[in-house]
Amino acid sequence: MFVFGILVKTLDNKSAIVFAGFVTTTTLVVSTQSTWGFSFCKGIEMDKKVPIKVCLTGGAGQIGYSLLPMLAAGEVFGHSQPVELRIHDIPSKIEHMRGITMELEDCRYPLLKAIRYGSDEMEMMKGVDLVVMLASLPMLPGEERKDLLKKNAKLMKNFGEVLQKVALDTTKVVVVTNPANTMALLLSKVFTRIPKTNITSLSMIDHNRCLFQIAKKLGGDPSTVRNVVCWGNHSRTVYPDMTYATIDGKPVLSKIKDLEYINKEFIEIIRSRAFEIQKARQQTAGFSTASAARDHIRALYRGTEHGEWVTIGVYTDGEAYGIEKDLYFAYPVMCKNGEYEIVAVSYTHLRAHETLRYLVCRLLLEKKK
């Protein structure tokens, strides 16, 4: 074994070791810093691990294009976990998928053991460990949310039928396709070979938006903000809640005294953020959605930090917070060993439960449609 380091000169002409580690006969172990908050390499012995097989539906779209490199680079499952990626999209996107595959190959990701692409759902989904549902039909001018629901419900039913035939009994599904909560519910009605808890829906994009807005308000670092909650549905009715949030370990509400901001302005910023992005870009949020999906999956597979929770849409059992059974509702959850647990916090501040009841009613309406 020997120890090594790389010495560089900083701008002020001072020396600093920026990369260090040691080598044994079988393993390279390095220590470095990452702007993403985790180490890029830790005792990598990739060949000893079985690759996690991941299928992205709608993988040729802008979200898939952003998420695929995150999966390949180890940002999701960790920097010692190999992956096999399967990109699925409609036949007209075959050349697009071929181009994405070539780009991934050219990046030479050591964790990426195989890439496949195609429009055959059976082939792409067979035996996968994780499916990320990105496929979606767009909401056209003049259409309403109910129209989007009907169109995407057909997609979800088809995918569910395929998964019922070819997926593993342990397969997990993360639904990003909107309306995500209701799409997750529809999928659970068709793909019945797995526990309903194996299906979750994306709410981390709202969660991440909250973290940034709080940091912006206080002039702080978004990475130091913890434990917001985005109750309910990923939609214009989401209820972003900073009651239990902290920044640098201190309660946010001890620093923000502006009740108008807390109870109105902050909530409206989060609820309208997707619309504002779409208005500015002339298309929906792309890499911020991919980043949220990364955070969602990483929490499920690698766990949350001690004392920290995330917001994820999960199946309701009829007990937590008094929410009706058989919905997918966004709660604060902690994750460990591939499983999640709903965090019990006081919710009496939600206007004597009126807010939760309203959120449930909106989901029940979508369920009926």
Side-chain angles (χ1 to χ4, degrees), residues 338-355:
E339 298 182 351
Y340 65 79
E341 181 179 354
I342 297 172
V343 180
V345 298
S346 172
Y347 58 105
T348 55
H349 63 286
L350 297 180
R351 297 177 189 148
H353 316 320
E354 290 178 9
T355 299

Side-chain angles (χ1 to χ4, degrees), residues 46-58:
M46 294 173 293
D47 292 337
K48 294 183 180 180
K49 290 189 175 182
V50 177
I52 293 177
K53 297 177 181 178
V54 185
C55 174
L56 275 64
T57 71

Side-chain angles (χ1 to χ4, degrees), residues 327-364:
L327 294 171
Y328 277 82
F329 193 90
Y331 293 109
V333 302
M334 291 181 176
C335 306
K336 186 177 181 180
N337 299 326
E339 298 182 351
Y340 65 79
E341 181 179 354
I342 297 172
V343 180
V345 298
S346 172
Y347 58 105
T348 55
H349 63 286
L350 297 180
R351 297 177 189 148
H353 316 320
E354 290 178 9
T355 299
L356 289 185
R357 292 308 314 157
Y358 174 72
L359 297 174
V360 169
C361 287
R362 297 298 302 180
L363 283 169
L364 288 172

Side-chain angles (χ1 to χ4, degrees), residues 73-294:
E75 292 183 29
V76 179
F77 302 110
H79 296 279
S80 62
Q81 175 58 61
V83 294
E84 175 185 317
L85 297 178
R86 300 184 187 181
I87 310 169
H88 174 270
D89 217 309
I90 57 179
S92 62
K93 297 285 187 180
I94 287 292
E95 278 300 291
H96 197 156
M97 288 187 279
R98 188 171 76 89
I100 292 172
T101 298
M102 287 190 286
E103 284 204 73
L104 288 168
E105 291 171 341
D106 293 346
C107 288
R108 301 179 299 113
Y109 293 112
L111 292 165
L112 183 54
K113 297 306 179 184
I115 318 169
R116 296 165 61 185
Y117 66 90
S119 57
D120 186 323
E121 294 95 340
M122 289 279 192
E123 182 182 349
M124 291 297 103
M125 293 183 176
K126 185 176 181 180
V128 296
D129 300 293
L130 172 68
V131 180
V132 185
M133 293 289 184
L134 304 176
S136 177
L137 294 172
M139 184 183 291
L140 301 176
E143 289 187 334
E144 298 178 1
R145 187 176 174 87
K146 64 180 181 181
D147 301 312
L148 180 66
L149 192 157
K150 289 179 181 178
K151 293 193 296 185
N152 285 337
K154 294 179 181 178
L155 279 178
M156 206 56 54
K157 183 175 184 292
N158 176 60
F159 288 139
E161 290 172 347
V162 171
L163 287 168
Q164 184 71 0
K165 295 176 182 177
V166 301
L168 305 173
D169 292 338
T170 54
T171 296
K172 295 182 186 294
V173 184
V174 174
V175 179
V176 180
T177 304
N178 281 318
N181 299 58
T182 300
M183 291 300 105
L185 180 65
L186 290 173
L187 180 67
S188 73
K189 301 295 184 183
V190 184
F191 185 19
T192 57
R193 284 200 298 109
I194 62 169
K196 295 183 186 295
T197 52
N198 278 27
I199 300 172
T200 55
S201 62
L202 185 71
S203 283
M204 278 302 294
I205 189 163
D206 299 313
H207 186 102
N208 286 348
R209 288 166 177 166
C210 289
L211 301 181
F212 173 77
Q213 291 300 325
I214 290 172
K216 180 182 178 182
K217 179 72 172 177
L218 295 174
D221 180 349
S223 69
T224 67
V225 184
R226 302 281 188 274
N227 295 353
V228 297
V229 187
C230 294
W231 302 94
N233 197 2
H234 172 56
S235 71
R236 282 280 298 171
T237 64
V238 65
Y239 190 86
D241 184 1
M242 67 170 77
T243 303
Y244 302 99
T246 62
I247 183 167
D248 289 320
K250 299 177 182 178
V252 166
L253 293 185
S254 69
K255 296 177 176 291
I256 300 178
K257 303 296 185 180
D258 184 350
L259 295 180
E260 179 73 11
Y261 177 82
I262 294 169
N263 296 320
K264 187 175 181 180
E265 185 179 343
F266 171 71
I267 294 171
E268 183 55 31
I269 288 171
I270 303 306
R271 286 177 172 176
S272 62
R273 189 71 161 183
F275 172 77
E276 293 297 329
I277 291 171
Q278 186 169 5
K279 182 180 177 181
R281 295 187 67 228
Q282 296 301 302
Q283 56 183 323
T284 56
F287 60 80
S288 60
T289 305
S291 178
R294 174 199 63 195

Side-chain angles (χ1 to χ4, degrees), residues 294-323:
R294 174 199 63 195
D295 295 345
H296 176 125
I297 301 165
R298 185 167 63 197
L300 286 177
Y301 276 83
R302 298 172 64 188
T304 48
E305 296 292 331
H306 179 70
E308 182 179 355
W309 64 65
V310 291
T311 303
I312 293 179
V314 302
Y315 184 71
T316 58
D317 58 7
E319 297 181 9
Y321 294 95
I323 304 300

